[in-house]
Amino acid sequence: MGTFEIRRPSGESVAVPQGKLRALFCGLALRPGRTASMTEIAEWLWDGAPPPSARTTIRGYVKRLRRLLDVATGESAITSTQHGYRLEISPGDVDVHRFSALVTRAVPLAGSAEEARLLREALALWRGPAFCDVSSDSLHRDIGPALREQYLDAVWRRIEYDLRSGDPANVVAELRHLVKENPIRETFWAQLMRALEGAGRAAEALAAYAECREVLADELGVDPCGQLRELHQRILLGKPAPAPV
């Protein structure tokens, strides 16, 4: 995920111009091996306001994209069906599906080194925000938020492992960046406080709570959740952190 990139099995990069062709490829790649209807494709390309010539224009885009993708044998990467078009690749060839599969495999392994390994492998597939250089309001609106949520949850789970088994100081800088980028996500604030406490920087952990409380009041008009308040109180009183479960 991140910047747009297509690579052949040989490793050769396939250049696709910015604009509608990238949106078309991304939409098809999100559903590999399954047909996308002309209506769905029009939504990706024109966000619900297709021109009268949409079907003809889509056929032209598909023809251009085929020329870029088709392999030397003449086999077509895009198949025409009665109802639309289908990209003939497997989910394992698409980063977003590889990411989801790795994260799913990690779920029953919570707290283990294997979970952390799978999550690191999954997160390594991210090069930036999904569709960051793809022009499609539909994909950004309908697909982007769910992908970002899945990404942030995977980051949180990986940091949980690091906090339980590693040096808390190693994740402080990352967590400061995460709370800056996601200021109302209280789970990252809690991890930052725990990391600072574990690194022997209790005063900074208390300052992080004060910052979080100010941000939540300004952005949402609410106080920190009960978990954060309890964490703040425990650090304030100098009580030791509970043993990892």
Side-chain angles (χ1 to χ4, degrees):
M1 280 72 70
T3 53
F4 183 92
E5 184 177 41
I6 303 175
R7 289 194 177 275
R8 299 188 189 279
S10 63
E12 177 190 1
S13 180
V14 179
V16 177
Q18 291 198 29
K20 296 285 193 291
L21 287 185
R22 287 193 182 187
L24 173 60
F25 179 85
C26 284
L28 293 173
L30 286 169
R31 49 196 309 160
R34 294 187 292 136
T35 297
S37 70
M38 297 293 269
T39 300
E40 290 171 313
I41 294 173
E43 180 69 19
W44 302 335
L45 302 188
W46 293 288
D47 198 31
S53 60
R55 297 179 74 87
T56 300
T57 304
I58 289 171
R59 292 189 189 100
Y61 286 140
V62 169
K63 184 177 181 179
R64 290 173 59 193
L65 191 57
R66 275 176 172 153
R67 285 200 298 265
L68 293 171
L69 299 178
D70 288 357
V71 295
T73 60
E75 296 176 356
S76 180
I78 302 176
T79 299
S80 301
T81 72
Q82 182 180 358
H83 303 291
Y85 296 97
R86 180 173 63 241
L87 185 62
E88 301 294 354
I89 59 174
S90 69
D93 293 326
V94 183
D95 280 356
V96 65
H97 296 297
R98 291 174 58 202
F99 170 78
S100 295
L102 287 165
V103 169
T104 299
R105 284 172 56 193
V107 170
L109 304 170
S112 69
E114 180 63 8
E115 179 207 26
R117 186 192 70 77
L118 290 170
L119 292 175
R120 292 182 196 282
E121 184 178 346
L123 292 168
L125 296 171
W126 284 76
R127 300 180 300 274
F131 315 122
C132 62
D133 55 357
V134 175
S135 301
S136 173
D137 291 341
S138 173
L139 294 178
H140 282 278
R141 179 188 65 243
D142 299 335
I143 307 297
L147 286 177
R148 177 169 173 76
E149 186 64 26
Q150 192 177 29
Y151 166 78
L152 291 175
D153 182 66
V155 171
W156 177 82
R157 287 163 57 188
R158 195 224 79 224
I159 292 176
E160 278 296 297
Y161 176 83
D162 291 343
L163 286 173
R164 291 167 183 266
S165 61
D167 182 353
N170 287 339
V171 293
V172 168
E174 180 182 9
L175 283 164
R176 288 201 184 278
H177 174 76
L178 285 166
V179 297
K180 182 178 180 180
E181 294 295 314
N182 308 274
I184 62 174
R185 199 175 186 92
E186 293 177 83
T187 51
F188 286 145
W189 283 105
Q191 287 183 325
L192 175 59
M193 291 173 63
R194 288 163 52 203
L196 289 166
E197 178 197 20
R201 296 153 64 178
E204 291 181 59
L206 295 175
Y209 176 83
E211 183 180 355
C212 172
R213 183 173 58 185
E214 181 178 347
V215 167
L216 293 176
D218 290 343
E219 297 287 338
L220 303 176
V222 300
D223 291 325
C225 66
Q227 179 188 12
L228 268 176
R229 295 198 301 271
E230 291 174 8
L231 176 59
H232 170 256
Q233 189 68 12
R234 182 180 62 72
I235 296 174
L236 187 65
L237 296 175
K239 294 182 179 181
V245 178

